[in-house]
Structure formats: C-alpha cells, structure tokens
Amino acid sequence: MAATGNADTNVGHGALIEAVDRALTTHGRAVLAGPAGSGKTEVARAVAATAARRRETVLWLAPEAADREIPEASAAALLASVPRTALDRLAGPQRTAIALLRREADAPRAGRDHVALRLAVVEVLRTLAAPGPVLLVLDNAQWLDAESTELLRFVLRLTPPRVRVLAAECVQGGAPVAEPLCGPGTTVVRVPALGADEVAELLLRHGLPARLAGRIHQASGGNPRLALALGHSLAEAAAGQGGGAHHADTLPVTGQAREVARRLLAAAPARARPTLLLAALAARPTTALLRRAGRPDAEAELAEAERAALVTVGEDGAVAFTAGALPTALAADAGWPERAAGHAALAAAVDDPVQAVRHRALAVDTPDPHLAAEITRAADACRRRGQRALAAELGLLAAERTPAGLPQEELARLVGAAEDAGWAGRADLARRATRAVLARDASPAQRVRSRLAVIDAAGQALADLDETIAHAVADAAGDPSLRAAVQLRIAWKHNIGDGDPVRARDAAAEAGALAKAGGDQVAEAMALTVRARMGRILGDPDAEDILAEALALPAPEVPLGMRNAPQYLAVRHALFDDRLADARRQLLVLLPAVQRTGSAEDVFEVLRSLTEAELRRGHCARGAAHARRALELTIEAGLSPGPAWYVAATAEAAAGSFARAAAYARRGIRASEEEGDQVFLSRGLYALGTVELATGEAAKAVATLSRVAALEEAQQVVDPSILRWHGELAEALVAADAPCEAVGLLDRVTPVARSLGRPTVLAALDRARGLCRSAQGEPEPAVALLEATAERFGALGLPLEQGRTLLALARVERRRRRRAPARAALLAAAGLFEAAGAGPWLDLARETAPETCGPHPGVAALTEAEARLALLVGGGASNQEAAAKLFLSVKTVEARLTRIYQKLDVRSRAQLATALRGQ
C-alpha cells in the first residue's frame, strides 16, 4: 500500500494532484514526469492517499536504480505485495508461474511458461478489481527492468477499466519512457517548478527563515528537494558561525544540495560538460560567446542540456541555467586548472572590456600590480554604470591581486569594495570586504567606512547590529563627519529595528549638528530628512518646515540612497496627504535617477511608492505591475523580502486575489519578525487585517489589527495618515459586535486627525462611524453619514475608498430591508471597482448575499455579527462549528445565540431557520 501524502512537501502541488486524479478517473492511465527532486513521489503518494480514502485497493511499486539490472525484479516485488487471497483462484500453471517468479519453487527442466505468467498477472489484477477499483502506482518507472516492463505492457492491455495506472518517472526532458508502457494517448502530467511564493511556503513549513525564499528560489529553480537542501545548508552554515542566516548570504552549495545538483547535471551527456562549465563561468553566456571561447558545437551541446532541463537558450542565443545552484556546482566540481583555462578562454572571447579584465583576473592566482590596477579601473567603470554589485566583486578581486608590498592600495580597494557592496545591498560581499579590512592595519576612518557599509547592506535587518555600531562609534571619535555618518545609521536603526522614533529623531538631530560642524551638507540634509520623517510620525507640526530646510540645502541628485533623500521624503508626504497625481509625477522623475545609481533598494523604494500611488488612484493594473517589478527586484538583488511581500499583499488585495494577498501578508509578517523590522511588521499585519475584514473574518481582523495598534502605540506613532489602521479596526470591531469599543477608538483618533488636517483619514473614520451608528440602532443617521462620506471620497479622487463606502452603505440599507437603495449602492460600488480593475472588491460587490431581511421583523434588529451567526446556525452548523468558522469561543457563540433567540422570539434552531427563510 502507498504511504500517505505529506502535505508539507506537497506545497504548490494541490492543483497538480487534482489534475492527476482527474486524468486517472477519466482515462484510467497517467504518467507523472519531472526531474529529480521535483516532488513526483509526494504527488503520487497524495493521489494514492486520495484513492485509499475512496476505499480503492492501492498497489505501490517503487524500484531502485539497481533493480534495473535484475531481470523481473520489479514484477517479483509487485506480486510479493499482492494478498495471497488474490492467488487462490489461479489455475495450476498460472499459480506455478507466480511461485517461480516469487522464488517459491524450483524452475522446471522444461523451462518457464511465460504465457502462463502473463495471464496469471492479468487474472490477479482482475480479481483485485472485482470488489472495487484498483490503483497501481509505479514510482521511479525509469528503473523498471526490461522484462518487468514487457510483462506489465502486456498485462495492462488486458486489465479491466477498474484497474488504473499512475507511472511516475524521473525525466528531465523529452518523452517519458513509461508513456508506451501505459498505452497510446496516455495523459502525461509534468511536475512544474515551484514559484517563489511556493518556495517561501515550503521553507516556512520546514522551519527555515522565510526571508531566504527569494535567493533559494533562484538557486533551486523551484526544485523542492534542492530548495530544502539549500535552505538547510544555509541555516546550518549560519548556526556554525553563531548567527542567523542573512537574506543576501551566498548560498552554500554543499553536502546534500551539491548532491542534488550533481544528480540533475548528470542528465546531460558528458560531451556537453565543458560547454556547460564555460557557461557557468561567464557572466552573460551566449552561444556565440561559447563558440568563440573554443566550443564550436556549443549549439548542439546546449540543445542536449536544454532537453535535460538544465538550461534555456533564447532566440538571441542567451544561455540561462534553470537553477542558480547548477553553475555553482559545475564550478565547484571542476579543478583549478579547468576553471583557469575556462576564464582565460572567456577573457579572449568577451566583447565587454570589464568582463575581459574580470576573466583575466580569475584565470590567475598570483599578485600582479598592473592587473590589480586594471581591475580597479574596471570597478570604477562599473560604478559609473550603476553596476555597484559588480564593482564590489571587482574591488575584492583587485585587492586579492595586489602585492603584499602595497598595503595602502590593498586597503583602499577593500574599503571601496565594501562601500560598493553596501550601496548594492550585497551583505555577503560587504561583510567579506570588511572582515579583510579589520584583519589589516587599517585607519579608524577605513574601519568606520567599512562597518557603515555592512550596516547599509543589511536592509531591514538592523536589530542585531549593535556591536558593529558600537565599534563604529568608537572609531569615529574625534571626526565630526564620521560621527555624523554613524549617528545617521543609529537613527535608522532606532526607527526600523527598535521601533523608537523619538530616539531616532534625537540621533538624527545629533547627526545634523555634527555634519554642520564638519561642513558636510549632504549628511546634514540627510539628518534633517530623518528628523522630518520622525516628526511626521510623532505628529510634530514643525515636520514640514524641517523638510523644507533639508530641501533647501545643496545636495547631489541621489545622496547615499534615495530613500534617505529629502526629495523622496517629500514624495512620501504627498502620498500620506493623498496628493497622488503630484506624487506620481515626482516618482516618475526619480525612477530613472535611482536606476542609474545601481542601488536596488532605492529602485525598490520608488516602485513601492508608485504602487501605492496607482492603487489609491484606482489604477490597479498599473499598481500591480509596479508591485511585480518590486518583488522581482527584491528576489534578484537579495533585498529584505518583508517590504516586498507587504507591497505584493496590497497589490493583490486591490487587483488580484484576497487569498494571495493574505498569503503574501503572512510571509511578510514572518520575514519582518525574523529581521526585527518593526516598521514593516506593522504594515504586514495591517495588510492581513484589512483582507480578513474584507473577507468577513471579523474576529481575526480585530486580533490582527489590535496587534497593529499595540505596535504603533509602542512606536509612539501619532499621525494616523501614515498607516491607516484606525478606521479598519473600528469597522472590524463593529463587525465583531463591539460597536462601543469602535466608538471609543474613533473618539480618540478623530480629534488628532482633525488637528493635523488629514481629510482622507477623517473620511475613513466617518465610514466606520456610520457603521457604528447602524449597529447602535441609528440607521437613518448612518445612511446619511455614509452617503456623504462616499461623495467626499469621490471628490478626493479615491475610487476604491468610495466603492468600499458604498458597500458599507448597501449593508446598512439591506439591514433596514430597503432592497432598492441597497441594490443601487452595490451597483455603484461595482461600477467603481470595475473601472479601477479592483477584481477582489468587484467580486464582493457582485455577491448576492443571503437575505437576512425577510418578513420576520426581528431580523433587521440583528447586528452584522449576529446575522452571520444566525445564518450559520440556521443552516445547520453546531455551536462548535460556528465558533471555529467565526473565530470565536463556544461560550461567546452561546451568549450571542441567546440574544438572537430573544430578538427573533424563537426557541429552537428549527424556528430560527424558519424565521431566516421568512416562512
């Protein structure tokens, strides 16, 4: 019998399992094909488990590689698993043939009766299928021996339709060998690679850090076994170093990960191996480049590798490995002479002078002052191009090729490499360069600059950098400019890692004073920017004046990160104030500028803000496109994933699917918790709570949004325009039958929003207040307030908020049993959502909710939470089932049911169902 399917390893394969089961039900035969480690066995086990739950007989045959060389080994193993009762009805010669195959009798002198054996196996399967369907699973079908394959091919032609066959085999490309075994026209289902989201889910289920998902997806190509092996290798390497794994760390393709990669590479013919190695060593391999580098048959060899699903070759000849671990494994398994020869060949073949220098440097391992100087010039060229990650790699190479007699040149190159890595967000390169600096006789300034690069490369993971900062503070003593630079990083750390804007503002003020004393206007402008940002959070009325002061200072176009520049903060303030057209216009000016700098984090920041601007303007398709680019960039550059998953969640909630939005939000929450990022932890929770509210999970929304409230309170956030959770939490409280708590929250935040002049925040609070009034038995004021609020959102140019307000109005009107106004509000909301491309919200508006406003007069008196519970219980749900569905305790369900019975004057569940049906 088959093992039960493992849900942990079937991540992303739900639809695939259904497709295989459907093919078996329809056609009786299916082949499941995919490369090693793709999850075929787990999918087959899940299909077998489904069949077993239907009381089908499941036969499981899983030969191993050695079995392929043993005649009839697989057939014998299959028949050994068959119950003895299935053999009782066999005729004498057939029973003898089975006994001979199972080595239960000596072979006769006249030889074996192969016809009797074939007919015996047919009869066994017919006997097993007599009481019910049989599923025969052939896992690792590629290892069936030839004799067993021929036997099964004959048998399966004669078995009844109730005998179904699933053959799973490891195949990289081309036609599966099991296809003819199952007969012509057999459905072949290929196991697809996991997406980045599914890799993230796989890591989470195995207790591995979610923030590694992007890099592991790239390195594994979506192969589940390789992804898990890489994740475990990285986690073990980090544990061995006494620290947590960083999302930008180089992935160690060692141990099990290398074995999986080797197994995948073994599918390519040996003659293609040198070409694949050259492709692995090249930065941008193409067929033309590989031909020039001495592989005249590159196209044919790569075609074989492509059939083995190891590479893809574009129409322009560009070569890409399907998994990033494959070139790493190829290079690691090659010896130094082979790698050096490959780099030398590529140096002579590439067109780009920078790449030529890089390959010449990698082709030798001895110091050379002229080569080191040439590499340094190439790094300078990369810096001008905005290729800061490549500049960092070249800087490290230049330092390695610098002779021992030039220590200052070596140090300068190492510090430059660290700073380039910090700018590019490459924490692995920044730490490597900084370790080298600290191991040498570096000056305090060089040590400070290197340590600042490590901080800059850390992204949102600043919580564990106290020791690095402490050393930087000590080394910067006596130099105002260096002290200012360190204090700026301390301010960022207080905000992101500690969630303490007051300390961040104070550190920024100290940084500004030091920068002014040192005549560093760039650092002064950045310090003022941090003060303005913290001031906005804290509700400081002088925040805009401080920002204006920063903008007035002369500064380069992009000082140390656009995210820290005053012109970018001005855009963020425009977003907070819903001056969306102005914000979008400025962002489109900034985007090319940040793309030129080579800072992936800056590009992400601009894309994030563009996403927010477009979504709030009701241009959901544009917003979703920016969010996709932001997520792709995060994965490609190895940035902290928490912010990208938050952005993806907001885009999905507006333009994709609430289910995917919730999944992104949960991953973002997990990643931000792992990195100690208080800022985006709040945002991830906010995104999740909003989705839970929209999908009717009121109690969950209250719990999630209450966590946001606690975090924002701990961070002393005053301005409600930055993260607009107040209205959402109030609406969730109303939906969870706690309108008094909602009113208390609204009464506390409304004066703050009014004093700060936040009209769009006030409109959202009024939407929640309208729902409160309805829940408290004031339907007419509620309707009037919601109608006025919808008009305000329309005038403010916020169509999604206007549509949400109309949905709220429809719910209130429906509770009043005013069907025509409710229908009109729903139609108006649907029109807004359709024009905006807000698919999930359009689906909500189009839903025809069950009528809770039938002829019974008491139904209209039920609160929204009571109505949901009444519908569940009236539909037959037990108290326990209703409690689980509504995320409540059974005691709360019982108390609410008592109130419902009193309002409707009913005494039983049957009477409740009758009242809800209006009979």
Side-chain angles (χ1 to χ4, degrees), residues 654-666:
S657 133
F658 283 137
R660 288 197 298 271
Y664 275 127
R666 290 189 185 97

Side-chain angles (χ1 to χ4, degrees), residues 550-806:
L551 288 166
L553 284 172
E557 184 183 14
V558 185
L560 192 61
M562 178 57 71
R563 61 196 179 279
N564 304 308
Q567 55 264 50
Y568 181 65
L569 183 60
V571 174
R572 294 299 299 170
H573 283 198
L575 284 172
F576 297 154
D577 296 334
D578 284 308
R579 293 181 279 114
L580 302 174
D582 183 35
R584 179 178 182 272
R585 183 172 57 254
Q586 294 181 58
L587 287 165
L588 290 176
V589 172
L590 292 177
L591 185 58
V594 296
Q595 287 172 332
R596 288 194 299 270
T597 68
S599 170
E601 196 165 2
D602 283 349
V603 177
F604 169 81
E605 276 293 327
V606 174
L607 290 173
R608 170 170 82 99
S609 293
L610 276 170
T611 300
E612 295 173 4
E614 296 292 15
L615 293 179
R616 288 188 66 77
R617 292 172 75 222
H619 297 166
C620 293
R622 289 183 191 171
H626 291 312
R628 282 193 297 273
R629 288 178 62 194
L631 185 56
E632 290 166 1
L633 176 65
T634 294
I635 293 171
E636 179 183 345
L639 303 179
S640 294
W645 280 334
Y646 161 70
V647 173
T650 60
E652 282 291 338
S657 133
F658 283 137
R660 288 197 298 271
Y664 275 127
R666 290 189 185 97
R667 290 172 201 149
I669 291 165
R670 176 70 177 266
S672 295
E673 286 174 335
E674 289 171 358
E675 293 194 332
D677 178 358
Q678 301 300 302
V679 173
F680 276 92
L681 175 57
S682 292
R683 279 156 177 73
L685 288 165
Y686 168 71
L688 178 60
T690 302
V691 170
E692 289 170 340
L693 175 61
T695 53
E697 297 179 295
K700 285 185 178 180
V702 169
T704 302
L705 292 168
S706 294
R707 283 189 66 191
V708 178
L711 284 166
E712 294 281 287
E713 183 179 355
Q715 294 172 43
Q716 306 171 69
V717 178
V718 173
D719 194 327
S721 69
I722 296 174
L723 192 62
R724 305 179 184 199
W725 57 268
H726 308 79
E728 308 287 354
L729 178 54
E731 289 189 39
L733 287 166
V734 172
D737 205 19
C740 293
E741 291 182 45
V743 170
L745 171 61
L746 294 172
D747 286 347
R748 290 193 300 274
V749 72
T750 298
V752 177
R754 188 172 291 120
S755 68
L756 292 174
R758 306 291 184 247
T760 53
V761 174
L762 288 168
L765 298 177
D766 280 344
R767 179 174 62 214
R769 195 176 293 278
L771 291 170
C772 285
R773 289 186 174 176
S774 173
Q776 292 178 318
E778 302 177 51
E780 291 182 5
V783 167
L785 182 55
L786 290 171
E787 287 176 341
T789 302
E791 291 180 6
R792 285 160 62 194
F793 275 129
L796 290 165
L798 301 173
L800 297 193
E801 298 299 330
Q802 184 182 12
R804 287 186 59 187
T805 308
L806 289 169

Side-chain angles (χ1 to χ4, degrees), residues 371-422:
L371 179 58
E374 198 173 354
I375 301 170
T376 301
R377 289 193 292 272
D380 293 338
C382 289
R383 204 171 294 117
R384 290 192 297 271
R385 296 178 186 175
Q387 298 173 324
R388 301 300 283 260
L390 180 54
E393 292 180 27
L394 290 170
L396 283 164
L397 263 178
E400 290 172 4
R401 299 297 177 265
T402 303
L406 300 172
Q408 290 310 310
E409 288 187 23
E410 182 191 28
L411 271 170
R413 287 161 180 163
L414 287 170
V415 173
E419 291 180 326
D420 284 326

Side-chain angles (χ1 to χ4, degrees), residues 214-239:
R215 290 178 62 78
I216 288 176
H217 176 257
Q218 268 196 324
S220 67
N223 183 294
R225 187 183 300 168
L226 183 53
L228 286 175
L230 288 165
H232 285 299
S233 295
L234 187 54
E236 289 165 7

Side-chain angles (χ1 to χ4, degrees), residues 243-275:
H246 192 278
H247 55 78
D249 279 334
T250 301
L251 296 178
V253 185
T254 57
Q256 185 185 0
R258 186 180 291 190
E259 287 307 311
V260 176
R262 284 170 173 162
R263 185 172 173 185
L264 293 170
L265 289 165
R271 71 189 188 92
R273 191 83 173 198
T275 299

